[in-house]
Amino acid sequence: MKAFARLTQDRRSEDRSEVRSAVVRFLLMGLVALLVISTPVAFWILAQAERHALDNARSSTQRLADFAVGPLITSELLAGSPEAARGIDERLRPWIDGGPVLRIKVWDSSGRIVYSDVDELVGQDFPLPDWAEQLLSGGRGSATIERQNELENRFEADAGELVEVYVRSEAATGDPLIFEAYYDDDDVRAEQMAVLWDTVPALLVSLAVLQIAQLVPAVRLARRIQAHQQMRRHLLQRAMEASDLERRRIARDLHDDVIQDLAGLSYAMEAEEMRSSAEQRPLFTQAHSILSDNVRTLRAMTRELYPSNLEQMGLPAALDRLADPLRQSGVHVVVRTSDIDDIPRDASAMFYRVAREALVNVQKHARATAVELALTDEGDDTVLSISDDGLGFNSAAGAPDGHVGLQIMRDTIEDAGGSIAVASRPGAGTVVEARLGNAHRSPLRSGFLQDDA
């Protein structure tokens, strides 16, 4: 019972570990999805915040141009009056001295700077860009963040990136003007980050809540899948037990009834042979020989149906005993087994049946002169390999002559999470490899060990 309790505890721990692993994988995938979603969203928020800040800068510049500067662009200023320029200087001083504005330029429609806070620029002519005509005609102003590298920007060239705003305005005389203002980009960047930090936490919290809300059904799904896997293992175990019980019943019935009756009949035939006349004696001799052969065949079938030596000697010794008929027929058989002594009865039975089926096929069909049988541990797997130098067959076309034994074993081991591979070519022999993970080397259900507890 201690072995039963220990295996049950191990199984429960393994099940909990599987659920934890599934939950951890779900959370990691959720974290990756969170990063994948939040990164482009953050860039989108920054872009939208920049656009919003530039719109605000354009609106502020439009108001400054229309209400603070435009009315002061008089004919005297256009004529180059220093007094008129000083009046605008006084009006703009709050915006320029310690304010957000770094530079102001006012252009007329010919490309001449009619006013600037830098006196050297006033009166200079520069070619207007292509969009200036549309702006002077009433088009929408523009606001961008960029470095200033034009000829008329020699006073701003070393300032790095600046917010450059162009809007349309009108002089007091009604002439159209282009009002240009430059702002430090720190305010725009600060507004970007403020919008980002105001928005991203809410976004992350929403995604995290969604992830947590999905975690509950994910855990339930993992447990449901685990329950189905346990049921599948249980059903497979039941099928293996039923198969073993049926084999034992058939072996017992053959041994206790059919074989005993045939053996008794063989003894009777032998007695009749001794008492028979010379003419009848060959007939009794032939009948006695047939009965004896049938008894030996049935006893061999009984041993194959219920290999008691598998439990008594263990799998390595049972495999070696299984190769005896081939050795007796003149085939050179090598059996190699590593130090494997913890294979439970269900896994041992699977490997034993695969070996028996493969060796029977070798004896009946392969015409081999040498066979090698190897039972080894390969990392997390236990591997049984049977190779021969016989006739071989086209493995891509399936088993020859309609044999289904290996296919039945393939289905059984695959249901237990293992695999069988058959590689063969005509004239190149055959290799049968059965592989079962060590995770399945503990009993699929602990009932097999109850007799030993």
Side-chain angles (χ1 to χ4, degrees):
M1 294 303 294
K2 290 182 179 179
F4 172 79
R6 184 172 60 255
L7 289 169
T8 302
Q9 182 66 29
D10 291 343
R11 173 59 63 185
R12 290 176 179 174
S13 299
E14 181 181 347
D15 292 342
R16 287 194 296 268
S17 177
E18 290 177 358
V19 173
R20 284 195 299 270
S21 298
V23 171
V24 169
R25 287 194 299 271
F26 177 81
L27 291 176
L28 289 177
M29 290 300 297
L31 179 60
V32 172
L34 184 65
L35 294 176
V36 170
I37 294 173
S38 60
T39 299
V41 169
F43 282 108
W44 179 82
I45 291 174
L46 288 174
Q48 295 301 310
E50 179 180 302
R51 184 182 62 81
H52 183 265
L54 293 177
D55 286 342
N56 289 339
R58 185 177 57 250
S59 299
S60 300
T61 303
Q62 188 70 63
R63 290 193 297 270
L64 180 63
D66 291 342
F67 301 109
V69 178
L72 299 180
I73 306 297
T74 61
S75 56
E76 290 81 4
L77 179 71
L78 295 176
S81 170
E83 292 296 331
R86 280 193 292 271
I88 298 179
D89 289 340
E90 292 297 327
R91 178 68 62 86
L92 293 178
R93 192 176 305 279
W95 281 275
I96 295 178
D97 293 346
V101 181
L102 297 179
R103 183 78 64 241
I104 288 179
K105 302 172 187 174
V106 181
W107 308 68
D108 64 12
S109 58
S110 66
R112 183 172 66 95
I113 298 178
V114 298
Y115 172 79
S116 175
D117 58 300
V118 178
D119 295 337
E120 296 178 28
L121 294 175
V122 176
Q124 294 189 27
D125 292 300
F126 296 95
L128 292 175
D130 296 336
W131 47 262
E133 184 177 353
Q134 181 180 2
L135 179 61
L136 289 169
S137 302
R140 179 182 173 86
S142 65
T144 58
I145 300 179
E146 57 187 25
R147 291 183 174 274
Q148 308 304 315
N149 299 316
E150 301 296 332
L151 293 176
E152 44 97 5
N153 298 123
R154 64 181 184 274
F155 295 102
E156 302 88 38
D158 297 331
E161 287 189 332
L162 297 177
V163 178
E164 183 180 25
V165 182
Y166 290 92
V167 296
R168 181 189 183 279
S169 186
E170 290 184 358
T173 59
D175 296 325
L177 301 171
I178 296 177
F179 189 92
E180 179 183 8
Y182 295 94
Y183 303 87
D184 195 325
D185 67 333
D186 289 344
D187 292 338
V188 174
R189 301 306 182 193
E191 184 172 347
Q192 276 186 300
M193 298 309 298
V195 173
L196 181 65
W197 289 116
D198 287 344
T199 307
V200 167
L203 173 66
L204 295 179
V205 169
S206 300
L207 292 176
V209 170
L210 177 62
Q211 181 76 2
I212 293 174
Q214 291 177 333
L215 180 60
V216 175
V219 172
R220 291 178 179 175
L221 179 60
R223 289 178 175 172
R224 186 178 301 174
I225 293 174
Q226 183 186 66
H228 283 301
Q229 291 175 341
Q230 290 175 343
M231 182 179 297
R232 185 169 174 267
R233 288 196 296 265
H234 179 76
L235 292 176
L236 176 62
Q237 185 61 50
R238 286 296 187 184
M240 293 293 297
E241 289 179 348
S243 175
D244 277 350
L245 290 175
E246 184 66 14
R247 287 173 176 271
R248 292 186 186 189
R249 186 188 64 81
I250 294 174
R252 184 179 61 250
D253 291 345
L254 285 175
H255 182 270
D256 294 345
D257 296 332
V258 179
I259 293 177
Q260 297 300 327
D261 291 344
L262 289 178
L265 181 58
S266 176
Y267 295 145
M269 291 294 295
E270 184 179 7
E272 290 296 326
E273 177 185 358
M274 297 175 63
R275 293 194 298 266
S276 64
S277 62
E279 295 81 5
Q280 293 178 330
R281 187 167 297 169
L283 179 61
F284 282 104
T285 301
Q286 183 180 8
H288 177 260
S289 176
I290 293 173
L291 280 175
S292 298
D293 290 341
N294 287 337
V295 169
R296 283 193 296 270
T297 300
L298 286 175
R299 283 174 175 164
M301 290 176 59
T302 301
R303 287 192 297 271
E304 291 183 358
L305 284 172
Y306 179 45
S308 58
N309 55 353
L310 180 60
E311 293 188 42
Q312 295 170 358
M313 298 184 297
L315 180 59
L319 293 176
D320 189 74
R321 179 71 63 84
L322 196 61
D324 285 344
L326 280 173
R327 294 190 180 102
Q328 294 171 4
S329 64
V331 178
H332 178 67
V333 182
V334 176
V335 179
R336 296 188 298 104
T337 58
S338 58
D339 295 331
I340 299 177
D341 56 1
D342 58 344
I343 300 180
R345 185 171 174 270
D346 57 340
S348 296
M350 289 184 187
F351 285 132
Y352 184 89
R353 292 170 188 170
V354 171
R356 182 185 62 204
E357 185 67 31
L359 293 178
V360 167
N361 287 338
V362 170
Q363 188 171 20
K364 290 183 178 180
H365 310 289
R367 300 180 187 175
T369 60
V371 176
E372 181 176 346
L373 188 151
L375 181 67
T376 58
D377 266 338
E378 294 184 5
D380 294 332
D381 294 336
T382 301
V383 179
L384 174 68
S385 175
I386 304 101
S387 58
D388 66 73
D389 63 350
L391 298 177
F393 62 94
N394 184 7
S395 58
D401 300 331
H403 295 297
V404 296
L406 281 178
Q407 183 60 45
I408 294 174
M409 290 298 98
R410 185 196 304 272
D411 295 340
T412 302
I413 289 189
E414 286 180 353
D415 285 341
S419 64
I420 289 183
V422 179
S424 183
R425 289 186 304 168
T430 302
V431 177
V432 178
E433 182 181 274
R435 184 179 296 268
L436 193 63
N438 287 339
H440 300 280
R441 285 174 54 178
S442 58
L444 299 178
R445 191 173 62 85
S446 55
F448 278 150
L449 296 184
Q450 290 182 3
D451 294 339
D452 300 332

